[in-house]
Structures are given as structure tokens and as C-alpha cells.
């Protein structure tokens, strides 16, 4: 259920002494950033201000995430689970979400990439060794590294041409082709996408 000010009282507040756990998820990447607790007042403030606001059990008071650090959580959507006793809140964070200065309060988040590219990577990997007649991906694998690399090169040129001489939709399509064929090449070389992401993160953190 999408939570708004009209149905906020339908939540199962009585189960946990008028508190409900709230899981914060990055809107763009799907990464789980943190978990806190909300009462009715903090949830109302979250919905009206658009900034994640929690109830501190230690201080017995409301606190806006980022009110001292500036690392606010800008809320885009608030959902409840099937029992109406926990919240899933999609946010775009400003800065790190953890008080330790990390992106997420959950260190194991580094081990997962919950986005479509990672799902596609798994599908592509499953095609290795299959009958080339069953899918285009299996056919690419059967042609070997040289042919796959050649295809990536061709798609790269087509992206460049589309960027300067074709429409936005053409460019989007060519970029999608390039991403797909690059993932095939990585799988052919037994390289996980996470290894590429690690390189990008290392460069970003310099």
C-alpha cells in the first residue's frame, strides 16, 4: 500500500507500542541504506516535508535525518508491507546515510547490486554453453571472444554516430546494444560486472 496522510491511521501502530520500523532504500540503485523507527508524528512529518524523519527511542524525540550533518534523505515514495506493520521508503540521499560516513549502514550491501543490469548479467551468464540455436546470446558465445569483441567495437561506433547524427531514441537503443554486448564480453572473459564497478568506485573515491 502506498502510504499517504489519508491512510496513515490504517497502519498497525499498536503492534510495537506505536512505533513502526522503516527501511530506507536508495531510489535509483535499490541499495538498502538504513533502518529506523517512526511513530505517527514522524511519519506525518516525513510525508509533509519530503525528508525522512524518525523517532529516536534513546532520546524519545523526533529527529530529521541530516538535521546536523546535512545528509538528508529526500523521500520519493513510502510503502507498507502486507501486514501494515513495517515501511519501505524510497529516497535519494544527500551524502552518506550512515553516521559512520558510509553510504549504507549495512556493510554487506557492497556484495549486492540489485538493479536490472545485475539481473541481465545473470541471464547472460546462464546462456554460456547452451545451444547456439536457442538464443542470440548463446550464438554470440559460440563465436568466440574475437567476434564478441568485434561486435562491441561496432556498437561503440554506432553509439558515437547516433549521438551526433540521429535521434534520442536511436541513441538510447544503441547505448542499450553497447551495454548488452559489453556484458556478454565480460562474461566470455569470466569477469563480473562488480569488478568493473569496483574500478569505477575506486576512481570516484580518489
Amino acid at each position: 500500500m502506498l502510504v499517504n496522510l489519508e491512510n496513515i491511521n490504517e497502519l498497525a501502530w499498536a503492534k510495537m507500542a506505536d512505533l513502526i520500523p522503516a527501511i530506507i532504500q536508495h531510489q535509483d540503485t535499490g541499495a538498502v541504506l538504513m533502518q529506523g523507527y517512526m511513530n505517527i508524528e514522524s511519519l506525518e512529518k516525513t510525508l509533509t516535508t519530503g525528508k525522512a524523519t524518525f523517532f529516536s527511542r534513546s532520546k524519545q524525540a523526533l529527529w530529521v535525518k541530516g538535521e546536523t550533518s546535512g545528509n538528508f534523505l529526500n523521500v520519493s515514495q513510502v510503502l507498507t508491507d502486507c501486514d501494515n506493520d513495517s515501511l519501505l521508503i524510497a529516497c535519494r540521499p544527500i551524502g552518506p546515510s550512515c553516521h559512520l560516513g558510509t553510504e549504507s549502514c549495512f556493510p554487506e550491501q557492497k556484495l549486492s547490486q540489485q538493479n536490472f543490469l545485475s539481473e541481465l548479467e545473470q541471464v547472460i551468464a546462464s546462456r554460456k554453453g547452451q545451444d547456439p540455436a536457442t538464443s542470440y546470446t548463446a550464438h554470440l558465445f559460440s563465436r568466440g571472444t574475437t567476434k564478441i569483441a568485434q561486435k562491441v567495437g561496432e556498437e561503440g561506433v554506432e553509439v558515437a554516430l547516433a549521438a551526433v547524427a540521429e535521434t534520442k531514441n536511436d541513441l538510447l537503443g544503441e547505448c542499450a546494444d553497447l551495454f548488452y554486448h559489453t556484458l556478454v564480453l565480460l562474461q566470455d572473459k569470466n569477469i563480473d560486472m562488480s569488478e568493473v564497478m569496483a574500478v569505477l568506485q575506486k576512481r570516484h573515491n580518489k
Side-chain angles (χ1 to χ4, degrees):
M1 178 178 71
L2 180 64
V3 178
N4 51 51
L5 290 173
E6 287 71 32
N7 59 26
I8 193 173
N9 289 315
E10 298 176 21
L11 302 180
W13 297 106
K15 280 189 177 181
M16 292 183 62
D18 295 328
L19 293 178
I20 285 183
I23 300 166
I24 305 300
Q25 186 176 37
H26 195 300
Q27 160 137 359
D28 300 322
T29 68
V32 176
L33 302 178
M34 62 170 289
Q35 183 254 317
Y37 288 88
M38 292 185 175
N39 61 7
I40 291 180
E41 186 180 0
S42 65
L43 180 54
E44 286 177 340
K45 188 170 182 179
T46 296
L47 294 170
T48 55
T49 66
K51 295 189 182 301
T53 303
F54 303 91
F55 181 82
S56 171
R57 294 173 296 169
S58 59
K59 297 180 180 179
Q60 289 294 296
L62 299 188
W63 63 282
V64 180
K65 172 64 179 174
E67 60 186 352
T68 56
S69 66
N71 298 327
F72 294 101
L73 293 168
N74 292 326
V75 176
S76 56
Q77 192 174 59
V78 179
L79 301 172
T80 184
D81 71 345
C82 56
D83 293 321
N84 286 344
D85 59 5
S86 63
L87 299 170
L88 179 63
I89 302 179
C91 296
R92 283 196 172 95
I94 299 176
S97 297
C98 182
H99 70 285
L100 297 178
T102 56
E103 177 184 357
S104 170
C105 292
F106 298 92
E108 65 269 25
Q109 191 64 42
K110 297 178 182 178
L111 303 178
S112 63
Q113 296 173 326
Q114 302 195 11
N115 52 48
F116 178 70
L117 277 180
S118 62
E119 294 178 19
L120 180 59
E121 180 184 40
Q122 295 174 34
V123 172
I124 290 172
S126 71
R127 299 291 192 267
K128 293 179 73 172
Q130 291 189 357
D131 184 349
T134 60
S135 73
Y136 175 68
T137 304
H139 172 70
L140 282 175
F141 282 129
S142 71
R143 299 186 70 191
T145 303
T146 300
K147 292 295 185 181
I148 298 173
Q150 180 182 343
K151 189 65 178 174
V152 171
E154 293 172 358
E155 297 298 343
V157 172
E158 290 178 9
V159 166
L161 292 174
V164 298
E166 299 181 25
T167 67
K168 176 183 177 180
N169 285 338
D170 291 328
L171 177 58
L172 291 174
E174 297 299 346
C175 285
D177 288 343
L178 178 59
F179 288 1
Y180 161 76
H181 286 94
T182 299
L183 286 175
V184 174
L185 181 60
L186 289 173
Q187 283 299 312
D188 179 72
K189 300 298 292 183
N190 296 314
I191 297 173
D192 290 334
M193 185 173 60
S194 61
E195 296 178 67
V196 179
M197 296 299 104
V199 173
L200 290 173
Q201 289 175 330
K202 183 177 180 179
R203 291 176 180 177
H204 174 72
N205 292 330
K206 283 185 177 179

